[in-house]
Amino acid sequence: MTTKKPFEMIDVTLRDAHQCLWSTRMTTPHMYPALADIDRAGYGYINILGGAVFDVMVRFLREDPWKRMEFLSKQLSTPTDALTRGQSIYTFELFADDVVALNVELLAQSGVRVLTVYDALNDNRNIESSVAAGRKNGMLINAMLTYALSPVHDDAYFIARTRELVKLGVDFISVKDPTGLLTPERAATLFPAVVSAAAGIPIKLHSHCQSGLAPLVYEEAIKAGFAYGYVATDCLANGASLPSVLDVYASADKFGRAPKMNHSALQKVDEYFDWICSRDNFARGERATYDPALYEHQIPGGMISNLRAQLATMGIAHREAEICLLYTSDAAD
């Protein structure tokens, strides 16, 4: 182990957890009763925005995303974090630099402290404008490396991408595993290599639980000297979501790196959202069993819940495995 500093937690309950399990259907009124307890739980940062949030809030929830960002950032004393897709912002199209800069400026004005940015293909030219805009607006910059499986994505590839981010002068570097493809064995070589290449920049892990292996992958991050891990409240963890804060805390404690957390507050947060699941018939996260098909279709956790919701709407939820197989075939073509 390279460090005994606490392995700090970043909460995703208000964003990625419900994106993965509820198709991003958590409303601001859903969030409000839990904010005080989330705030005093001891998280280093709280993630409140990601790519799907804007679309769902406008199209389905009929809420103003900017008002939510401002409201949450004012209610929470813990610094808030917003994730964008670099030059694509919140979509899959490319926007001009001035549009990217305006978006970052508005996030900063809303009170967001950390700008998390990534390019899905790790083409770091597509995050340069975001990094520059974040710096101009006094934000901390968290740049992500997107993990994938291919003959190209070896340790040397990720070392090279990490060094690019170092040259950009970012404040944090995250290993983003959106599908949960990482295994402990792969992490055992990759994570020390990234830590070394980062040259002292704190490293974060963001990995989903679709393979069921993410809790063990987080242990490898803790052993390798990562500084932060993204986690969710227990009832909204696992499955397509991220690991439970309780599980990751236990792992950090095992390796002598447990952060200071308010367990009473964590319990109250979980009890509240567990009640919401019962009241509104929302899904709870369940521990996934190993599924080798995941390593073929590689559908991210943030997308699978939307796919399942769409299949259910069409009355063909029972054909999920077949459709994922078709996705794999199309990708190969």
Side-chain angles (χ1 to χ4, degrees), residues 112-128:
V112 173
R113 294 281 305 281
V114 180
L115 177 67
T116 293
V117 60
Y118 75 100
D119 180 81
L121 298 178
N122 294 315
D123 185 345
N124 290 324
R125 295 172 297 178
N126 287 329
I127 71 169
E128 290 177 0

Side-chain angles (χ1 to χ4, degrees), residues 236-276:
L236 296 183
N238 298 305
S241 183
L242 286 83
S244 164
V245 59
L246 302 181
D247 291 343
V248 176
Y249 180 90
S251 294
D253 188 46
K254 179 171 69 173
F255 293 106
R257 297 192 58 198
K260 292 182 179 179
M261 303 290 288
N262 184 328
H263 290 269
S264 174
L266 291 174
Q267 182 177 353
K268 288 182 177 180
V269 171
D270 200 58
E271 288 174 349
Y272 169 73
F273 282 112
D274 188 66
W275 173 73
I276 290 293

Side-chain angles (χ1 to χ4, degrees), residues 3-9 222 226-228 252 256-260:
T3 180
K4 283 289 185 179
K5 292 181 179 179
F7 184 72
E8 302 288 348
M9 311 287 181
I222 293 167
F226 277 36
Y228 296 88
R257 297 192 58 198
K260 292 182 179 179

Side-chain angles (χ1 to χ4, degrees), residues 9-12 14-16 44-51 53 69 72-73 76 78-84 90 107 111-117 139-144 172 174 204 206 228 230:
M9 311 287 181
I10 301 170
D11 181 63
V12 300
L14 303 181
R15 204 281 294 183
D16 213 358
Y45 300 97
I46 298 173
N47 176 233
I48 61 173
L49 177 66
V53 171
M69 299 309 108
L72 294 180
S73 294
L76 297 165
T78 308
T80 54
D81 166 279
L83 181 148
T84 74
Y90 308 114
L107 287 174
V112 173
R113 294 281 305 281
V114 180
L115 177 67
T116 293
V117 60
M139 304 174 82
L140 295 173
I141 311 299
N142 173 38
M144 288 184 147
F172 308 100
S174 293
K204 306 178 181 183
H206 181 285
Y228 296 88
Y230 288 82

Side-chain angles (χ1 to χ4, degrees), residues 68-282:
R68 178 187 286 185
M69 299 309 108
E70 183 177 10
F71 175 75
L72 294 180
S73 294
K74 285 183 176 179
Q75 291 290 319
L76 297 165
S77 59
T78 308
T80 54
D81 166 279
L83 181 148
T84 74
R85 296 170 179 155
Q87 214 69 33
S88 298
I89 309 182
Y90 308 114
T91 73
F92 299 101
E93 302 176 13
L94 296 175
F95 292 88
D97 289 349
D98 58 346
V99 179
V100 173
L102 178 60
N103 176 70
V104 173
E105 181 181 352
L106 292 174
L107 287 174
Q109 290 178 1
S110 298
V112 173
R113 294 281 305 281
V114 180
L115 177 67
T116 293
V117 60
Y118 75 100
D119 180 81
L121 298 178
N122 294 315
D123 185 345
N124 290 324
R125 295 172 297 178
N126 287 329
I127 71 169
E128 290 177 0
S129 60
S130 298
V131 172
R135 282 272 179 250
K136 182 179 179 181
N137 287 279
M139 304 174 82
L140 295 173
I141 311 299
N142 173 38
M144 288 184 147
L145 300 167
T146 304
Y147 181 76
L149 286 175
S150 82
V152 172
H153 291 84
D154 57 10
D155 285 1
Y157 170 88
F158 287 107
I159 289 171
R161 303 290 80 74
T162 300
R163 288 173 176 164
E164 290 172 359
L165 299 179
V166 171
K167 289 182 179 179
L168 286 176
V170 300
D171 299 287
F172 308 100
I173 295 173
S174 293
V175 175
K176 176 181 173 64
D177 179 21
T179 308
L181 300 173
L182 275 167
T183 65
E185 294 78 13
R186 180 73 183 91
T189 64
L190 176 63
F191 289 175
V194 171
V195 169
S196 177
I201 295 175
I203 309 297
K204 306 178 181 183
L205 176 61
H206 181 285
S207 183
H208 290 251
C209 296
Q210 289 195 93
S211 70
L213 297 175
L216 297 175
V217 172
Y218 274 64
E219 289 199 354
E220 293 300 324
I222 293 167
K223 290 191 289 185
F226 277 36
Y228 296 88
Y230 288 82
V231 294
T233 194
D234 195 59
C235 70
L236 296 183
N238 298 305
S241 183
L242 286 83
S244 164
V245 59
L246 302 181
D247 291 343
V248 176
Y249 180 90
S251 294
D253 188 46
K254 179 171 69 173
F255 293 106
R257 297 192 58 198
K260 292 182 179 179
M261 303 290 288
N262 184 328
H263 290 269
S264 174
L266 291 174
Q267 182 177 353
K268 288 182 177 180
V269 171
D270 200 58
E271 288 174 349
Y272 169 73
F273 282 112
D274 188 66
W275 173 73
I276 290 293
C277 287
S278 296
R279 188 193 71 176
D280 295 349
N281 196 30
F282 281 138

